[in-house]
Amino acid sequence: MFHVMKRMQDAAARPTRRNFLKMSAVAAGGLVVGSRLALPGAALAEGAAAEDAFTPFIRISPDGLVTVLNKHLDMGQGNATGLATLVAEELDASPEQMRAEFAPADVERYKNLAFGMQGTGGSTAIANSFEQYRKAGATARAMLVAAAAKAWGVPTGEITISGGTLSHASGKSGTFGEFAEAAAKLEAPAEVTLKSPDQWVYIGKSFPRLDVPNKTVGAPNTYGMDVQRDNMLVAVLTRPLAFGAKVKSFNADTAKAVKGVVDVIDVPGHGVAVLATSTWPAIKGREALEIEWDEAGAETRSSDALFAEYRELADTAGPVFRDDGDAEAAIAGAATVVEQVFEFPYLAHGMMEPMVLTIHVEGDRATLWYPSQFQTVDQQTAATVLGIPVQNVTINTLYGGGSFGRRTSPDARHIVEAASIAKIWGKSQPIKLVYTREDDTRAGYYRPMGVHKVRAGLDADGNLVGWHHRIVQQSLMSGTFFEQFMVHDGIDETSVEGVKDASYAIPAFHAELHSPKVGVPVLWWRSVGHTQTGYVVEAMMDKAAHAAGVDPLEFRRRHLSQPSGIAERDKDNARKLGVLDKVAEMSGWSGAQHGDRFRGIAVHKSFNTYVAEVAEVSRREDGTFKVENVWCAVDCGVAVNPDNVKAQMEGGIGYGLAAVLFSEITLTDGHVDQLNFDTYRPLRIEEMPKVVVEVLASAEAPSGAGEPGTPPVGPAVANAILAATGELPAVLPLTKAGLA
């Protein structure tokens, strides 16, 4: 996803692009005086400080509390605390006085610097904000110091700040709150000096999570599902079971007979909505609906049929996206050839809070409350559906109970649904569109299914000499606004990341991509293309190592330590070796077998972060495997909050394990078979292995932490099973082969 937004950023200044992609300067910092007191992690109040263009990132109230406006969505990954840490560091504030709120939808002030528009994804939140929010803190500090110096009649250089208190050697002291009003009237300095790493107090050390208090006590309006408005109706939407089907006819009488149901409305292109006074009657009313669907233009193929088509495509040549040397000749002349076909199912995102959105349309204005991950796209979409100016759409971003990519669909379908319902309803009344768990599981927007066919050749010394890789995967970008940036000559960049930039020293490397057309809506999923490519490349590395009779760790070292002459690739390999050596040390690696247990290793770069993992498995009496331990080493550049980075690695490992072991979305005649967590199997708490994470010290710029922990765990587990059985698990989930 980062690559999507990077290309969008490159094109954002072109006048032919949409207005919401215009590049515009964002001010560095400043203070807003007398702002509303915010509890830790509270969401932005309606209209709070939205008019203060001078000071987009920081507000300081008279009581000295510092509120940091987060331009991103925090969906559990902790960026609200991360950005507050950056401000507190340069401001010399105390953690106790820091607060976090979500910024309003305003691309001019709050765009993601990696995207050119306001949004969160691609593990970019801290990376693109690292300098920006530090400058905001340093600017606010300079203005406070200037105000105090003026009040005390002393030079600015004689004033110090510690723990949120300004002091002078004469004995004078004061709080931020005492000088906030005067400071806000001063001109912000054009340049500020940031602390050097040796001066950091919080960055790279620790800082308390600001969202914990509200989440612990269940504070109101923390999440989108919490929202309650006066006179609010709840809407649930009956969507077709087959993607692309349309409503042929429906009888609303039985639904309207349910107590609490207010109305039943046809929402063309989406389904039939039931509006009720609360969630339960809305759901019961929907159950009572009688609907006949027209599936003439729908996707009606089953998973087995789709996989059969994909396998056939994997046997035919496709558009080439990488061609280094003559791979066919190298493999033909190799001493040993290994090959494997890999199959990956559709996957749901499975976040704990299903999709939800509250909208209130009042004349030519609309206000929305929900976890907005792409504020700019959402705002534009709502305005288009409602036929009102973009600036008349107000978005109040709330915490998201997970996302993993789900809340960022390019077509903003949930926005379209809610706005369409409100428009058709036509009354000035808040409407809360609620997805049930079943809705969320069946509504589409899955990780694409995929088939990879790989052949690799080794010379007599056990070195890889050729690699031929063919991918069959539905395009994420085709047919969306992002296609113009991300699909070139038939190649969707999100399908090939992790293979196109694979950095192992292999003289001849050829890779192709097929992008079949399927009617199932797909979407980026935690780690996007890396979720499949990372598995395939790292599992094949182990299969090649076994064929060569070389320890898998040493095999990787061998193919990462050879200079390529390409500076970027060599730098990648040096950092991969760093995490690989660290995880080997952490786990006490002495081979793939460790007593009666077996181990697998994998290393992968995604979102500019390098992660190596070792998984240790035991074999149960029934032949299935249990993941006992996972060791993880991560190099994400400067780790702003190391404990939070560790938490993201742990969460990414658990999330990835579910996909490898159990999770899949299957289709029967185009209908999704899974409904809830009983059939779409997540990882249970007793199945979570013991995880040990170490964050490598680094002077490199911060990079992503939310997604990179996921790709390596799958192949690490697969490689452990390969060590135990001699067979590489290549069809996921492992339950299909009776391995989990």
Side-chain angles (χ1 to χ4, degrees):
M1 187 173 175
F2 171 80
H3 305 295
V4 183
M5 302 312 169
K6 182 63 173 70
R7 290 182 182 269
M8 289 178 65
Q9 180 189 25
D10 294 340
R14 301 172 193 168
T16 55
R17 302 306 185 199
R18 293 186 181 183
N19 290 336
F20 67 76
L21 290 178
K22 286 181 180 177
M23 299 291 283
S24 52
V26 178
L31 301 94
V32 173
V33 185
S35 63
R36 180 182 62 87
L37 178 82
L39 291 173
L44 180 71
E46 301 165 47
E51 72 284 358
D52 298 293
F54 165 62
T55 57
F57 300 119
I58 298 174
R59 302 203 311 267
I60 298 181
S61 57
D63 57 8
L65 292 176
V66 179
T67 300
V68 177
L69 273 68
N70 182 359
K71 64 180 184 177
H72 300 282
L73 172 65
D74 193 323
M75 42 210 152
Q77 79 276 38
N79 62 39
T81 299
L83 298 180
T85 302
L86 299 177
V87 170
E89 181 67 73
E90 299 294 343
L91 188 56
D92 285 319
S94 69
E96 293 75 21
Q97 70 187 123
M98 301 304 295
R99 303 292 184 266
E101 293 184 1
F102 293 112
D106 185 338
V107 68
E108 299 295 324
R109 298 171 175 174
Y110 299 116
K111 68 170 176 281
N112 186 313
L113 301 180
F115 293 5
M117 62 188 224
Q118 190 175 356
T120 308
S123 297
T124 60
I126 298 298
N128 94 93
S129 303
F130 183 65
E131 189 169 300
Q132 186 181 43
Y133 275 70
R134 289 173 65 204
K135 284 183 176 179
T139 300
R141 185 188 192 281
M143 295 168 75
L144 286 166
V145 167
K150 183 177 181 181
W152 295 340
V154 300
T156 57
E158 294 181 3
I159 294 177
T160 60
I161 302 180
S162 178
T165 299
L166 297 98
S167 303
H168 184 260
S170 64
K172 293 183 173 68
S173 66
T175 66
F176 286 173
E178 291 176 51
F179 294 102
E181 183 173 0
K185 296 175 182 178
L186 300 176
E187 184 176 352
E191 298 291 336
V192 290
T193 300
L194 302 180
K195 291 181 179 180
S196 58
D198 62 299
Q199 296 173 311
W200 288 342
V201 176
Y202 304 127
I203 295 175
K205 299 176 176 63
S206 64
F207 203 87
R209 284 280 294 245
L210 301 185
D211 52 345
V212 168
N214 271 9
K215 292 179 178 179
T216 302
V217 302
N221 291 331
T222 298
Y223 294 100
M225 204 64 79
D226 298 334
V227 173
Q228 296 294 327
R229 309 295 298 175
D230 292 341
N231 198 32
M232 184 179 78
L233 295 179
V234 172
V236 294
L237 190 63
T238 306
R239 300 170 183 83
L241 294 179
F243 298 109
K246 299 178 181 178
V247 175
K248 189 173 184 180
S249 64
F250 69 95
N251 179 3
D253 293 342
T254 50
K256 290 180 177 179
V258 174
K259 184 179 179 181
V261 171
V262 174
D263 202 358
V264 177
I265 59 176
D266 183 11
V267 187
H270 300 280
V272 179
V274 176
L275 278 72
T277 53
S278 63
T279 307
W280 185 244
I283 293 173
K284 298 306 289 183
R286 182 173 65 175
E287 291 175 356
L289 267 177
E290 299 173 6
I291 303 181
E292 185 178 358
W293 298 97
D294 178 4
E295 296 189 355
E299 176 59 75
T300 57
R301 286 175 288 183
S302 297
S303 294
D304 289 345
L306 287 171
F307 270 120
E309 293 178 24
Y310 278 34
R311 292 185 202 106
E312 289 181 9
L313 281 172
D315 288 331
T316 64
V320 177
F321 65 87
R322 180 171 175 175
D323 196 25
D324 304 337
D326 190 340
E328 289 287 4
I331 294 171
T336 305
V337 176
V338 292
E339 55 187 310
Q340 188 72 58
V341 175
F342 297 83
E343 296 184 6
F344 301 90
Y346 286 114
L347 290 177
H349 296 80
M351 66 270 195
M352 291 304 296
E353 179 191 34
M355 300 295 282
V356 62
L357 187 154
T358 300
I359 184 170
H360 190 184
V361 179
E362 300 173 278
D364 67 346
R365 295 187 173 275
T367 305
L368 292 77
W369 298 262
Y370 66 109
S372 178
Q373 192 166 344
F374 259 17
Q375 289 89 345
T376 303
V377 173
D378 293 354
Q379 191 177 38
Q380 179 76 39
T381 301
T384 300
V385 172
L386 296 170
I388 63 177
V390 173
Q391 63 268 23
N392 287 8
V393 177
T394 299
I395 293 177
N396 293 299
T397 298
L398 304 173
Y399 277 97
S403 172
F404 314 115
R406 177 65 180 93
R407 303 187 194 277
T408 57
S409 58
D411 61 4
R413 178 62 62 88
H414 57 304
I415 309 296
V416 176
E417 291 174 346
S420 297
I421 292 170
K423 185 175 182 179
I424 295 168
W425 177 238
K427 299 178 182 179
S428 181
Q429 190 170 11
I431 295 175
K432 182 178 185 178
L433 174 63
V434 173
Y435 280 56
T436 63
R437 172 64 57 200
E438 290 77 9
D439 291 338
D440 211 48
T441 304
R442 292 187 302 193
Y445 299 95
Y446 307 119
R447 183 197 75 171
M449 64 178 286
V451 169
H452 292 235
K453 184 175 182 179
V454 185
R455 289 182 295 123
L458 300 108
D459 63 18
D461 294 324
N463 297 307
L464 284 166
V465 293
W467 186 290
H468 189 283
H469 197 133
R470 192 171 285 148
I471 302 173
V472 184
Q473 181 178 305
Q474 186 179 347
S475 171
L476 291 173
M477 299 300 166
S478 294
T480 75
F481 168 71
F482 300 108
E483 182 174 0
Q484 61 187 311
F485 304 102
M486 291 302 297
V487 181
H488 301 97
D489 300 322
I491 303 299
D492 184 332
E493 297 293 333
T494 64
S495 298
V496 302
E497 58 187 3
V499 171
K500 186 176 181 178
D501 57 345
S503 59
Y504 286 116
I506 305 172
F509 198 118
H510 181 87
E512 304 166 3
L513 170 71
H514 287 286
S515 301
K517 302 293 185 183
V518 185
V520 178
V522 291
L523 184 62
W524 32 60
W525 186 91
R526 193 173 191 172
S527 75
V528 199
H530 298 282
T531 181
Q532 294 186 24
T533 58
Y535 187 100
V536 174
V537 170
E538 286 302 295
M540 278 300 292
M541 286 297 290
D542 255 56
K543 186 160 186 170
H546 280 254
V550 179
D551 176 83
L553 172 62
E554 292 307 316
F555 190 74
R556 284 173 172 78
R557 282 176 171 154
R558 178 189 299 180
H559 288 86
L560 289 172
S561 58
Q562 300 176 33
S564 67
I566 302 173
E568 183 177 353
R569 185 175 296 178
D570 289 345
K571 183 177 181 180
D572 279 350
N573 286 351
R575 294 179 74 179
K576 284 181 180 176
L577 280 168
V579 292
L580 197 62
D581 288 343
K582 171 54 79 172
V583 83
E585 174 192 318
M586 292 165 59
S587 63
W589 179 274
S590 58
Q593 187 163 0
H594 194 78
D596 60 352
R597 295 182 178 179
F598 297 88
R599 292 178 171 184
I601 194 167
V603 60
H604 191 73
K605 173 196 174 186
S606 60
F607 309 99
N608 294 322
T609 290
Y610 305 79
V611 180
E613 294 173 8
V614 169
E616 183 177 74
V617 304
S618 62
R619 182 155 37 189
R620 303 184 183 97
E621 292 184 1
D622 62 0
T624 62
F625 287 88
K626 182 178 187 296
V627 183
E628 301 281 0
N629 294 287
V630 175
W631 293 268
C632 170
V634 54
D635 174 0
C636 59
V638 172
V640 174
N641 294 125
D643 188 61
N644 196 53
V645 171
K646 291 179 180 180
Q648 285 304 294
M649 293 301 116
E650 292 163 356
I653 287 167
Y655 194 75
L657 279 175
V660 172
L661 300 174
F662 312 117
S663 302
E664 64 175 334
I665 291 291
T666 59
L667 305 173
T668 300
D669 298 328
H671 295 193
V672 175
D673 298 317
Q674 292 73 25
L675 296 177
N676 209 313
F677 287 143
D678 57 338
T679 48
Y680 184 76
R681 181 84 156 75
L683 194 73
R684 312 297 185 193
I685 193 167
E686 69 274 8
E687 294 162 339
M688 184 69 182
K690 180 181 179 181
V691 178
V692 178
V693 180
E694 288 202 26
V695 182
L696 273 66
S698 175
E700 297 286 344
S703 51
E707 300 172 87
T710 298
V713 71
V717 171
N719 294 338
I721 294 175
L722 170 63
T725 66
E727 296 292 329
L728 180 67
V731 177
L732 297 184
L734 297 181
T735 49
K736 282 188 172 181
L739 296 172

